[in-house]
Amino acid sequence: MARWALVVQETEGVGNDRIWGTKVLAEIEGSREEALAELRRLVPTYTPQHPFNSRRRTLLRDGDTYLLISRGSMRDYHCVFRVWELLWDSERPEIQQERLGDGARG
């Protein structure tokens, strides 16, 4: 059975030190549709690292991808949410073994 990572990529840091960070919010074992349903549930309540006090939040969707724009007092910050199939994790070799059992190649 497939494993899916619910991923957010968001603006981290402040000022000129802002970077693009990525983290896995959750993992789902099952169908892509089940993973997308869980992502749809998580996205509206997600609180990004920045801005500290959001003056406005706008949530957009393009197919299976979501964009959250948060307006701070001086800058806008954004988060992108997606579902990715988990194929490999060097700290969890059982995932690769599962994929090999399904006929996948690493």
Coordinates of all heavy atoms in Angstrom, one line a residue, residues 64-106:
D64 N -4.6 19.9 -6.8 CA -4.3 19.2 -5.5 C -3.3 20.0 -4.7 O -2.8 19.6 -3.7 CB -3.7 17.8 -5.7 CG -4.7 16.9 -6.4 OD1 -6.0 17.2 -6.3 OD2 -4.3 16.0 -7.1
T65 N -3.0 21.3 -5.2 CA -2.0 22.1 -4.5 C -2.7 23.3 -3.9 O -3.5 23.9 -4.5 CB -0.9 22.6 -5.4 OG1 -0.3 21.4 -6.0 CG2 0.2 23.4 -4.8
Y66 N -2.3 23.6 -2.6 CA -2.9 24.8 -1.9 C -1.8 25.8 -1.7 O -0.7 25.5 -1.4 CB -3.5 24.3 -0.6 CG -4.6 23.4 -0.7 CD1 -4.4 22.0 -0.9 CD2 -5.9 23.9 -0.7 CE1 -5.5 21.1 -1.0 CE2 -7.0 23.0 -0.9 CZ -6.8 21.6 -1.0 OH -7.8 20.8 -1.2
L67 N -2.2 27.1 -1.7 CA -1.3 28.2 -1.4 C -2.0 29.0 -0.3 O -3.1 29.5 -0.5 CB -1.1 29.0 -2.7 CG -0.3 30.3 -2.5 CD1 1.1 30.1 -2.0 CD2 -0.3 31.2 -3.7
L68 N -1.3 29.2 0.8 CA -1.8 30.1 1.9 C -0.9 31.3 1.9 O 0.3 31.2 2.0 CB -1.7 29.3 3.2 CG -2.1 30.2 4.4 CD1 -3.6 30.6 4.4 CD2 -1.8 29.4 5.7
I69 N -1.6 32.5 1.7 CA -0.9 33.7 1.8 C -1.3 34.4 3.1 O -2.5 34.6 3.3 CB -1.2 34.6 0.6 CG1 -0.9 33.9 -0.7 CG2 -0.4 36.0 0.7 CD1 -1.4 34.6 -2.0
S70 N -0.3 34.8 3.9 CA -0.6 35.4 5.2 C 0.1 36.8 5.1 O 1.3 37.0 4.9 CB 0.1 34.7 6.4 OG -0.6 33.4 6.5
R71 N -0.7 37.8 5.3 CA -0.2 39.2 5.3 C 0.1 39.6 6.7 O -0.7 39.6 7.6 CB -1.3 40.1 4.7 CG -0.9 41.6 4.8 CD -1.6 42.4 3.8 NE -1.2 42.1 2.5 CZ -1.9 42.2 1.4 NH1 -3.1 42.6 1.5 NH2 -1.4 41.8 0.2
G72 N 1.4 40.0 6.9 CA 1.9 40.5 8.1 C 1.8 42.0 8.1 O 1.3 42.6 7.2
S73 N 2.4 42.7 9.1 CA 2.3 44.1 9.2 C 3.2 44.8 8.1 O 2.9 45.9 7.7 CB 2.8 44.6 10.6 OG 4.1 44.1 10.9
M74 N 4.3 44.1 7.7 CA 5.2 44.7 6.7 C 5.4 43.8 5.5 O 5.8 44.3 4.5 CB 6.5 44.9 7.4 CG 6.4 45.9 8.5 SD 8.0 46.4 9.2 CE 8.7 47.3 7.9
R75 N 5.1 42.5 5.6 CA 5.4 41.6 4.5 C 4.3 40.5 4.4 O 3.7 40.2 5.3 CB 6.8 40.9 4.7 CG 7.9 41.8 4.6 CD 9.2 40.9 4.6 NE 10.4 41.7 4.3 CZ 11.1 42.3 5.3 NH1 10.8 42.2 6.5 NH2 12.1 43.1 4.9
D76 N 4.3 40.0 3.2 CA 3.4 38.8 3.0 C 4.3 37.5 3.1 O 5.5 37.6 2.6 CB 2.8 38.8 1.6 CG 1.7 39.8 1.5 OD1 1.3 40.4 2.5 OD2 1.2 40.1 0.3
Y77 N 3.8 36.5 3.6 CA 4.4 35.2 3.7 C 3.5 34.2 3.1 O 2.3 34.4 3.0 CB 4.7 34.8 5.2 CG 5.6 35.8 5.9 CD1 5.2 36.9 6.5 CD2 7.0 35.5 6.0 CE1 6.0 37.8 7.1 CE2 7.9 36.3 6.6 CZ 7.4 37.5 7.2 OH 8.2 38.3 7.8
H78 N 4.1 33.1 2.6 CA 3.3 32.1 2.0 C 3.7 30.7 2.3 O 4.8 30.4 2.7 CB 3.2 32.3 0.5 CG 4.5 32.1 -0.2 ND1 5.5 33.1 -0.2 CD2 5.0 31.1 -0.9 CE1 6.6 32.6 -0.9 NE2 6.3 31.5 -1.4
C79 N 2.7 29.8 2.2 CA 2.9 28.3 2.4 C 2.3 27.6 1.2 O 1.2 28.0 0.7 CB 2.2 27.9 3.6 SG 2.6 28.7 5.1
V80 N 3.0 26.6 0.7 CA 2.4 25.7 -0.3 C 2.3 24.3 0.3 O 3.2 23.8 0.9 CB 3.4 25.7 -1.6 CG1 2.9 24.7 -2.6 CG2 3.5 27.1 -2.1
F81 N 1.1 23.7 0.1 CA 0.8 22.4 0.6 C 0.6 21.4 -0.6 O -0.1 21.7 -1.5 CB -0.5 22.4 1.4 CG -0.4 23.4 2.6 CD1 -0.8 24.7 2.4 CD2 -0.1 22.9 3.8 CE1 -0.7 25.6 3.5 CE2 -0.1 23.8 4.9 CZ -0.4 25.2 4.7
R82 N 1.2 20.2 -0.4 CA 1.1 19.2 -1.5 C 1.1 17.8 -0.8 O 1.6 17.6 0.3 CB 2.3 19.3 -2.4 CG 2.3 20.5 -3.3 CD 3.5 20.4 -4.3 NE 3.6 21.5 -5.2 CZ 4.4 22.5 -5.0 NH1 5.4 22.4 -4.1 NH2 4.4 23.5 -5.8
V83 N 0.7 16.9 -1.6 CA 0.8 15.4 -1.2 C 1.9 14.8 -2.1 O 1.9 15.0 -3.3 CB -0.5 14.7 -1.4 CG1 -0.4 13.2 -1.3 CG2 -1.6 15.2 -0.5
W84 N 2.8 14.1 -1.5 CA 3.9 13.5 -2.2 C 3.9 12.0 -1.8 O 3.7 11.7 -0.6 CB 5.3 14.1 -1.8 CG 5.4 15.5 -2.2 CD1 5.0 16.6 -1.5 CD2 6.1 16.0 -3.3 NE1 5.4 17.7 -2.1 CE2 6.1 17.4 -3.3 CE3 6.8 15.4 -4.4 CZ2 6.6 18.2 -4.2 CZ3 7.3 16.2 -5.4 CH2 7.2 17.6 -5.3
E85 N 4.2 11.1 -2.7 CA 4.3 9.7 -2.4 C 5.7 9.5 -1.7 O 6.7 10.0 -2.2 CB 4.2 8.8 -3.6 CG 4.2 7.3 -3.3 CD 4.0 6.4 -4.4 OE1 3.9 6.9 -5.6 OE2 3.8 5.2 -4.2
L86 N 5.7 8.8 -0.6 CA 6.9 8.5 0.1 C 7.6 7.3 -0.4 O 7.0 6.2 -0.4 CB 6.6 8.4 1.6 CG 7.8 8.1 2.5 CD1 8.9 9.2 2.4 CD2 7.3 8.0 4.0
L87 N 8.8 7.4 -1.0 CA 9.4 6.3 -1.7 C 10.7 5.8 -0.9 O 11.0 4.6 -1.0 CB 9.9 6.7 -3.1 CG 8.8 7.2 -4.1 CD1 9.4 7.6 -5.4 CD2 7.8 6.0 -4.3
W88 N 11.3 6.7 -0.2 CA 12.6 6.4 0.5 C 12.8 7.2 1.7 O 12.5 8.4 1.7 CB 13.7 6.6 -0.5 CG 15.1 6.3 0.1 CD1 15.9 7.2 0.6 CD2 15.7 5.0 0.2 NE1 17.1 6.5 1.0 CE2 16.9 5.2 0.8 CE3 15.3 3.7 -0.2 CZ2 17.8 4.2 1.0 CZ3 16.2 2.7 0.1 CH2 17.4 2.9 0.7
D89 N 13.3 6.6 2.8 CA 13.7 7.3 4.0 C 14.9 6.6 4.5 O 14.7 5.5 4.9 CB 12.5 7.4 5.0 CG 12.8 8.2 6.2 OD1 14.0 8.4 6.5 OD2 11.9 8.7 6.8
S90 N 16.0 7.2 4.5 CA 17.2 6.6 5.0 C 17.2 6.1 6.4 O 17.9 5.2 6.8 CB 18.5 7.5 4.8 OG 18.3 8.6 5.6
E91 N 16.3 6.7 7.2 CA 16.2 6.3 8.6 C 15.1 5.2 8.8 O 15.0 4.7 9.9 CB 15.9 7.5 9.5 CG 17.1 8.4 9.6 CD 16.9 9.6 10.5 OE1 15.9 9.6 11.3 OE2 17.8 10.4 10.6
R92 N 14.4 4.9 7.8 CA 13.4 3.9 7.9 C 13.4 3.0 6.6 O 12.7 3.1 5.7 CB 12.0 4.5 8.0 CG 11.8 5.3 9.2 CD 10.4 5.9 9.4 NE 10.1 6.8 8.4 CZ 8.9 7.2 8.1 NH1 7.8 6.7 8.7 NH2 8.6 8.0 7.1
P93 N 14.4 2.0 6.6 CA 14.6 1.2 5.5 C 13.4 0.3 5.1 O 13.2 -0.2 4.0 CB 15.8 0.3 5.8 CG 16.0 0.5 7.3 CD 15.3 1.8 7.7
E94 N 12.5 0.1 6.1 CA 11.3 -0.7 5.8 C 10.4 -0.1 4.7 O 9.7 -0.8 4.0 CB 10.5 -1.0 7.1 CG 9.7 0.3 7.6 CD 10.6 1.2 8.5 OE1 11.8 1.0 8.6 OE2 10.0 2.1 9.1
I95 N 10.5 1.2 4.5 CA 9.7 1.9 3.5 C 10.2 1.4 2.1 O 9.4 1.1 1.2 CB 9.8 3.4 3.6 CG1 9.0 3.8 4.9 CG2 9.2 4.1 2.4 CD1 9.1 5.3 5.2
Q96 N 11.5 1.4 1.9 CA 12.1 0.9 0.7 C 11.7 -0.5 0.4 O 11.4 -0.9 -0.7 CB 13.6 1.1 0.6 CG 14.3 0.6 -0.6 CD 13.8 1.4 -1.9 OE1 13.1 2.4 -1.8 NE2 14.2 0.9 -3.0
Q97 N 11.8 -1.3 1.5 CA 11.4 -2.8 1.4 C 10.0 -2.9 0.9 O 9.6 -3.8 0.1 CB 11.7 -3.5 2.7 CG 13.1 -3.6 3.0 CD 13.9 -4.4 1.9 OE1 13.5 -5.4 1.4 NE2 15.0 -3.8 1.5
E98 N 9.1 -2.1 1.5 CA 7.7 -2.1 1.0 C 7.6 -1.8 -0.4 O 6.8 -2.4 -1.2 CB 6.8 -1.1 1.8 CG 6.6 -1.5 3.3 CD 6.0 -0.4 4.1 OE1 5.5 0.6 3.5 OE2 5.9 -0.6 5.3
R99 N 8.3 -0.8 -0.9 CA 8.2 -0.3 -2.3 C 8.8 -1.4 -3.2 O 8.3 -1.7 -4.2 CB 9.0 1.0 -2.5 CG 8.5 2.2 -1.7 CD 7.1 2.6 -2.2 NE 7.2 2.9 -3.6 CZ 6.2 2.7 -4.5 NH1 5.0 2.3 -4.1 NH2 6.3 3.1 -5.7
L100 N 9.9 -2.1 -2.8 CA 10.4 -3.2 -3.6 C 9.5 -4.3 -3.7 O 9.3 -5.0 -4.7 CB 11.8 -3.7 -3.0 CG 12.9 -2.7 -3.2 CD1 14.1 -3.2 -2.4 CD2 13.3 -2.5 -4.6
G101 N 8.7 -4.6 -2.6 CA 7.7 -5.6 -2.6 C 6.6 -5.3 -3.6 O 5.9 -6.2 -4.1
D102 N 6.4 -4.0 -3.9 CA 5.3 -3.6 -4.8 C 5.8 -3.6 -6.2 O 5.1 -3.1 -7.1 CB 4.7 -2.3 -4.4 CG 3.9 -2.3 -3.2 OD1 3.5 -3.4 -2.8 OD2 3.7 -1.2 -2.5
G103 N 7.1 -3.9 -6.4 CA 7.6 -3.9 -7.8 C 8.3 -2.6 -8.1 O 8.7 -2.4 -9.3
A104 N 8.4 -1.7 -7.2 CA 9.0 -0.4 -7.4 C 10.5 -0.5 -7.4 O 11.1 -1.4 -6.7 CB 8.5 0.7 -6.4
R105 N 11.2 0.4 -8.0 CA 12.7 0.4 -8.0 C 13.1 1.7 -7.4 O 12.5 2.7 -7.6 CB 13.2 0.3 -9.4 CG 12.7 -0.9 -10.2 CD 13.8 -1.7 -10.8 NE 13.2 -2.8 -11.6 CZ 13.2 -4.0 -11.2 NH1 13.7 -4.3 -10.0 NH2 12.7 -4.9 -11.9
G106 N 14.2 1.6 -6.6 CA 14.7 2.8 -5.9 C 15.7 3.5 -6.6 O 16.1 4.4 -6.9

